[in-house]
Structures are given as C-alpha cells and as structure tokens.
Amino acid sequence: MNSKMITLPKDTEVKPRRRPQAPAGRRSSSLHGREARGAWILMSPYMVLLLVAGVIPIAYAFVIAFQTPPTPLNPEVSFGGLESFTTVVTDYRFLDTFANIFSVLVVWLPIMLVGIIGLALLIHASPGRFGSSMRFIYYIPGALAGVANFVLWVYLLNPAQSPIQGFWHALGFTTIKAVLVSPSNLPMILTAMLLFQGLGTWILVVNGGLNNIPDEVLEAAEIDGANAWHLAWHIKLPMIRAWIGYAALMNLAYGFQLFLEPYLLDQVASNALPDQWTPTQLGYAFAFSNYNFPAAAAMSIILLIITLGIGLLVVFRSGLFGKEEH
C-alpha cells in the first residue's frame, strides 16, 4: 500500500484550531453562579440550624402568645388576642426588670467596648512576641466561662475567704449574702463578672479585624507623617467600625438574655435576691411559677422586638453588613 507524503511550503504555518470563547458577560455570569452555589452549600448547615433553633421557636412563640392560658375551670385553649401581652406589660415587675438590666448595660457595655478597642489597638501596635503573649494572657479569663467563672467570683465575693476580704471588711460586709443584697452592689458585680468573662475573647475578634487592614495603607499614612495616635484614631478605628458594631451587637444581645448569673447568685444569697431580677427571669416565672405559657411567650417576643430594634440600629450605624470599598 503506497502512501503519499504531502509537503507544505515553508512559509505555510499550521495553527491549532481554537475553541470559540464565550463572551465576557457570559463568563462573568457563570463565575458568579458557581460562587453563589458554593456560598449556599457552605451556608446550608447554618440555615438548617437557624431554622430549627431560631425561626421555628419564634413562630411557635407567636402562636402561643396569642392563646389564652388554660385554667382548671377552663382547660380549653382559644384565641386570646393581645391578652398575654397586656398581662406582661401591666405586671408590677415588668418595668423593674428592664430597669435592672439597663443598670447593668449602661455600665458594662461602654466599659466593655472601650476595653476591647483600646487593648486590641495596643496589641496590634505591639507586633512580635510581646503582642502574641498579651493575646494569650487576655484570652485566659475567657476560658473560665460558665460554672468555672461563677465559682471564681463566689470565692472573690465571700468576705470570709476572699483574697480581698480586707476590702469587704472596710465596706462593712462580713458575709456574701450582705454583699449581694446591697441594692447598688449587684449591678456592679454582674458588670465585673461579664467583663472578666468576655473581654479577652472579643479582643481577639477585633484584633482579627485590625490584622485585615492592608499594610500599604498604614505605611502610606506613616509616610504622610501620621504618628501612632493618628493611625489608631483616623485609620484603624474607621476601618474596623463593622467589627466594633458586631462586638456591640452580640454583647447587647447577651446582656438582654442575662439569666444564669443573677439566678445562681440568688441561690448563693439564700434566695435573698428578687427571683425576677431580669426580663428573662420574669419570663421563666410566667412559664414555670404561674404556668402561664402564653405570657412567657409574649415576654420572649417583647425581648425579641427590643433586641432586634437596637440591633438594626447598631447594624446600620456601623455598616456591619455593608459592602467593602476598595
């Protein structure tokens, strides 16, 4: 079988055929579509958790809140309108619980934010081994959360065993019950407990935001003559405003949910403290002392509305979910 060899001229160049490329707009649309699908896949576990632990309980609370509480004479449940909300708002303890929680928030939240921002800026301005060591030291109290933190504070508040017992004796306190039942002491004690427990963790969070600031921005500011104070006030703080808003929002929500600390302190003080000192304690009393679950659900909805309103204000003022400008 003979095969003929075809010889091309020297000037002839064989170019491989290229596949036709999609327009730039179509490529961009496809890329964004893949990114959107990936984002939804990553968010799906959280969305399931949000649905189970957030949306469904809130919807159930709305259903219960508009019902009438069953009684021995009338065990049937029916639509009660705003009766549960009226029961909650007209309760003699309602305003007192919010006054109590605000007495803690008005002291604790400003100190918390100033401490978080100030110490995070100091750590960011101290790179190297010293900054790393301080991050670790600040985080140690955050590891003593929950029961460990409470036991530590019970030891500090007991004038008979506390290492600062001289301070308590100088103020005229000889028992832990006397320390806790003093009207002006409890807000300060709760402020100290919350500050000690959460400060270190949020310093690390805000410090992460500071580490996201491009070095080129800081170097350009230094070339223009900015000192450490100018960098902190005019460059770093505006660029971590969203992180500060996030810290304020989460701590504010935690403050309104305050329950465990005053409840356990009441046990330590031999039930000498009010059982309904915070709004969450009042909701607990409606449910398990008065057996009025619609009123408890109404109390939870009122707290939800208040925290959502304040949270939206913080979000819009801080630009928490705004787009980053490059």
Side-chain angles (χ1 to χ4, degrees):
M1 183 175 181
N2 296 330
S3 59
K4 295 182 179 181
M5 182 179 295
I6 300 175
T7 305
L8 297 175
K10 294 183 179 180
D11 296 338
T12 305
E13 182 179 356
V14 180
K15 296 182 180 181
R17 296 180 63 184
R18 296 181 180 179
R19 296 181 179 179
Q21 295 183 355
R26 186 178 301 175
R27 291 200 306 270
S28 177
S29 177
S30 176
L31 178 61
H32 286 305
R34 289 197 299 269
E35 290 180 350
R37 287 192 296 270
W40 279 109
I41 291 173
L42 292 175
M43 287 175 58
S44 57
Y46 172 75
M47 298 300 291
V48 173
L49 181 63
L50 178 64
L51 180 66
V52 173
V55 177
I56 293 177
I58 291 173
Y60 182 72
F62 271 95
V63 172
I64 298 297
F66 290 97
Q67 296 178 353
T68 57
T71 62
L73 297 178
N74 185 19
E76 297 295 331
V77 174
S78 61
F79 179 74
L82 298 176
E83 177 183 343
S84 298
F85 292 91
T86 304
T87 301
V88 171
V89 174
T90 57
D91 190 280
Y92 70 95
R93 300 163 293 183
F94 178 77
L95 293 179
D96 290 339
T97 59
F98 281 97
N100 293 334
I101 204 67
F102 276 115
S103 69
V104 176
L105 289 175
V106 75
V107 178
W108 163 59
L109 201 57
I111 297 177
M112 185 77 167
L113 292 178
V114 170
I116 290 170
I117 297 168
L119 293 176
L121 288 172
L122 288 175
I123 290 176
H124 188 259
S126 305
R129 183 174 299 177
F130 177 76
S132 301
S133 301
M134 295 309 296
R135 280 198 302 269
F136 175 74
I137 292 173
Y138 290 145
Y139 182 72
I140 291 177
L144 298 175
V147 177
N149 180 55
F150 180 77
V151 171
L152 173 63
W153 278 98
V154 169
Y155 175 66
L156 290 174
L157 295 172
N158 190 352
Q161 301 175 343
S162 176
I164 56 172
Q165 59 180 331
F167 171 77
W168 296 121
H169 291 162
L171 295 177
F173 299 115
T174 57
T175 63
I176 189 172
K177 181 177 180 180
V179 173
L180 294 175
V181 298
S182 179
S184 59
N185 283 358
L186 188 57
M188 297 298 106
I189 291 171
L190 291 173
T191 295
M193 293 176 69
L194 296 175
L195 189 68
F196 182 80
Q197 179 176 334
L199 184 63
T201 303
W202 285 105
I203 288 174
L204 297 183
V205 173
V206 175
N207 186 67
L210 289 169
N211 290 333
N212 285 334
I213 299 177
D215 294 335
E216 294 80 4
V217 175
L218 301 178
E219 292 173 358
E222 290 177 351
I223 292 175
D224 290 339
N227 55 27
W229 171 256
H230 292 148
L231 285 176
W233 187 257
H234 297 289
I235 304 297
K236 295 180 180 180
L237 278 181
M239 297 189 73
I240 62 168
R241 187 176 61 177
W243 297 80
I244 297 172
Y246 177 66
L249 179 61
M250 298 304 294
N251 281 283
L252 189 66
Y254 184 80
F256 271 101
Q257 298 171 10
L258 197 61
F259 178 86
L260 180 63
E261 289 81 0
Y263 177 81
L264 294 179
L265 288 176
D266 182 39
Q267 305 301 312
V268 172
S270 303
N271 297 319
L273 296 175
D275 293 333
Q276 296 82 38
W277 200 81
T278 65
T280 51
Q281 286 182 294
L282 180 57
Y284 181 86
F286 278 129
F288 299 104
S289 296
N290 301 348
Y291 299 102
N292 191 340
F293 286 96
M299 187 70 193
S300 65
I301 292 173
I302 292 173
L303 280 173
L304 175 67
I305 293 173
I306 293 174
T307 52
L308 277 180
I310 299 177
L312 289 174
L313 178 64
V314 173
V315 166
F316 288 117
R317 293 292 296 176
S318 62
L320 183 58
F321 296 114
K323 293 183 179 180
E324 295 183 358
E325 297 180 358
H326 299 282

